[in-house]
Amino acid sequence: MLLASFYMSNPTTMTADRQSHLDALRGIAGLVVVLVHFLSAFYPYSIFGLQGSYQQLQAWEDLFFYPPIGLIVAGNPAVCLFFILSGYVLSYSHLGRSGRASRLIAAIIKRPIRLGGLVWATIIISALIWHLGWYFNSEVAGLSNSRPWFSFYWYGPFDFHGFLMDFFTSSFSRGWWYNAPLWTVEIELYGSILVYLFLLLFCNLRYRWLLCLALIIATSTSYYQGFWIGMMIADLVKHQRLPVGTRVWLPLILFALATFFACDPHFVTPDFRSTGTMYGFLPSDHGLDTGYSMLSATLLFLSVVMSVQLQRTLKHPILQYYGRISYALYVVHFIILGSLSSWMFLQIHQYLSYGTSFVIVFVVSVAIITGVAELGTRWVDDPSIKISHYLERKISSWYKPISRMVSRTPSA
């Protein structure tokens, strides 16, 4: 979802076709986040349990606190998976290869452009909707009792001066104020830069895995841990230190464990987790960004990279399509949820029951979000990729002559 495509040329380093399953994995994670946000807005108990003003509206909401149903609302594990995917994809082609300095420096410089197109576009669109008063999330929150969660966003009058300051000085760090999912893009930006810096310094170091392991331990309470986990898995896969495709039972065990830990409800209170779910016997990870979420994402990712069967399944055309538009899907859905989806619900609920209104709104909204994500991919994200690639080529062409001149300069 937040990742650039990458291409390999021989079987030992994996071909682009064999890596296409990772696109689908991003798409699935993006769809999980969309579902989590819709349920958080309309059925908040199913995500948060009993806290705040959240109330159980339907008996089936309890199902989301147990496996395997909880897997489809594993929003925090999906976010952790994004960052593991980034660490894997961004490092794979560079690990153990020399002469990559120019490409890595160019990759660092171009990264804000690569990620920024959809960030800047959605901030502007959201600001315009806010200014026009077309967000209806507060009204929906009054019906669904999604307070404080859904009522928090786009609160109060639109501040044009504040918007200009945020847009021109801190779009990556303040973008979430206008489009909530953008908080992860800031982590993606800085995490990917850290990955490139690590590769620039240590990609040829024989025992680089020890440094990577140290970083995994040091960032154990942070989402940045995902980047280092992804990088270590990339190193293991690239140098054939994982049993890929040889033991069918091992990926199945990893997938089952991933499902179990992913269904641990991340956003409920410790008291509700102990009394209202089956996970009370496990030590609590309350207050941690990662915990069981990162563990489940790691186990899931390992099961995919080790299983040829899972990779084939993930090459289904529909999953591949959602992988292609996953970044745009991720960054546009919340704006649509707070505006058009909320407005549709308020109109339909005047004539139909709450549950029926939600089903209609959700189905129509997913179709609209998919269409808008397709347009966002074509008109914003693809041009951003082209511009970033152009910038990368220019920087590489400038770097090589300078590097030769420096290497030929006699020492004093």
Side-chain angles (χ1 to χ4, degrees):
M1 163 186 270
L2 306 172
L3 314 173
S5 297
F6 70 115
Y7 301 91
M8 310 304 161
S9 59
N10 61 70
T12 59
T13 57
M14 298 182 135
T15 63
D17 178 63
R18 288 178 63 191
Q19 292 288 340
S20 63
H21 56 276
L22 299 182
D23 294 327
L25 202 56
R26 290 197 299 269
I28 292 171
L31 289 171
V32 167
V33 172
V34 171
L35 178 57
V36 168
H37 284 159
F38 269 84
L39 287 175
S40 298
F42 293 97
Y43 290 96
Y45 171 88
S46 63
I47 305 299
F48 303 109
L50 289 175
Q51 57 176 306
S53 299
Y54 312 134
Q55 298 177 12
Q56 186 173 6
L57 302 179
Q58 299 289 338
W60 52 258
E61 292 181 74
D62 283 326
L63 295 175
F64 293 112
F65 301 127
Y66 298 90
I69 302 300
L71 189 63
I72 64 175
V73 292
N76 204 55
V79 170
C80 293
L81 183 60
F82 293 153
F83 300 134
I84 292 174
L85 277 161
S86 282
Y88 184 96
V89 170
L90 297 177
S91 65
Y92 190 94
S93 63
H94 299 286
L95 287 165
R97 298 183 64 180
S98 58
R100 315 293 285 182
S102 62
R103 292 190 179 185
L104 289 167
I105 291 172
I108 292 172
I109 296 173
K110 77 169 188 177
R111 195 61 177 164
I113 302 297
R114 165 64 190 93
L115 297 173
L118 282 169
V119 170
W120 299 317
T122 57
I123 288 175
I124 292 172
I125 293 170
S126 180
L128 178 62
I129 294 172
W130 192 352
H131 173 67
L132 294 173
W134 290 351
Y135 279 121
F136 303 95
N137 55 300
S138 295
E139 290 86 341
V140 169
L143 294 172
S144 67
N145 291 312
S146 184
R147 294 172 174 169
W149 188 79
F150 202 36
S151 60
F152 170 79
Y153 302 105
W154 310 293
Y155 180 79
F158 176 70
D159 180 2
F160 184 71
H161 179 265
F163 162 73
L164 292 177
M165 292 293 294
D166 292 337
F167 183 82
F168 289 107
T169 65
S170 53
S171 54
F172 281 99
S173 60
R174 287 281 296 173
W176 65 269
W177 186 245
Y178 306 91
N179 185 13
L182 295 186
W183 69 268
T184 61
V185 182
E186 180 186 17
I187 296 175
E188 170 67 24
L189 174 63
Y190 295 130
S192 56
I193 290 174
L194 289 173
V195 167
Y196 287 134
L197 288 173
F198 181 96
L199 294 169
L200 188 63
L201 297 173
F202 307 117
C203 72
N204 291 316
L205 188 67
R206 182 176 181 182
Y207 296 106
R208 59 182 175 268
W209 65 271
L210 287 173
L211 288 174
C212 197
L213 181 60
L215 288 168
I216 290 173
I217 296 171
T219 57
S220 60
T221 61
S222 163
Y223 286 113
Y224 289 103
Q225 184 187 44
F227 293 92
W228 311 122
I229 291 173
M231 183 188 294
M232 176 162 279
I233 295 175
D235 215 347
L236 293 173
V237 171
K238 186 172 184 177
H239 297 94
Q240 301 178 353
R241 291 171 183 151
L242 281 178
V244 177
T246 58
R247 296 182 178 91
V248 177
W249 56 269
L250 184 54
L252 291 177
I253 292 175
L254 293 175
F255 186 84
L257 289 172
T259 299
F260 175 77
F261 287 111
C263 294
D264 180 15
H266 180 77
F267 300 106
V268 303
T269 63
D271 289 341
F272 184 86
R273 182 173 178 270
S274 298
T275 59
T277 77
M278 61 176 288
Y279 291 92
F281 71 96
L282 291 176
S284 175
D285 64 348
H286 187 71
L288 298 178
D289 290 336
T290 54
Y292 297 121
S293 295
M294 189 66 75
L295 174 61
S296 63
T298 302
L299 293 172
L300 175 62
F301 189 72
L302 282 170
S303 71
V304 169
V305 299
M306 293 171 63
S307 172
V308 175
Q309 290 79 9
L310 285 175
Q311 292 173 21
R312 287 172 181 166
T313 301
L314 290 170
K315 290 179 182 179
H316 190 281
I318 294 177
L319 298 180
Q320 289 289 302
Y321 173 74
Y322 274 100
R324 186 179 71 81
I325 66 169
S326 55
Y327 183 27
L329 180 91
Y330 181 77
V331 298
V332 305
H333 79 273
F334 200 75
I335 295 173
I336 294 172
L337 169 60
S339 56
L340 182 59
S341 299
S342 294
W343 177 83
M344 283 193 298
F345 181 83
L346 293 172
Q347 304 309 308
I348 296 172
H349 185 45
Q350 298 179 50
Y351 308 101
L352 299 175
S353 67
Y354 189 95
T356 303
S357 300
F358 170 75
V359 171
I360 294 172
V361 167
F362 179 72
V363 172
V364 173
S365 295
V366 169
I368 293 172
I369 289 167
T370 300
V372 174
E374 171 68 28
L375 295 177
T377 300
R378 290 187 183 185
W379 295 349
V380 181
D381 196 37
D382 286 347
S384 297
I385 293 173
K386 290 179 181 178
I387 294 171
S388 67
H389 286 343
Y390 173 80
L391 182 62
E392 181 180 29
R393 290 193 299 270
K394 284 296 183 182
I395 294 171
S396 297
S397 65
W398 297 334
Y399 175 87
K400 290 177 182 177
I402 295 173
S403 179
R404 292 194 197 101
M405 290 175 59
V406 171
S407 63
R408 291 173 184 172
T409 302
S411 57

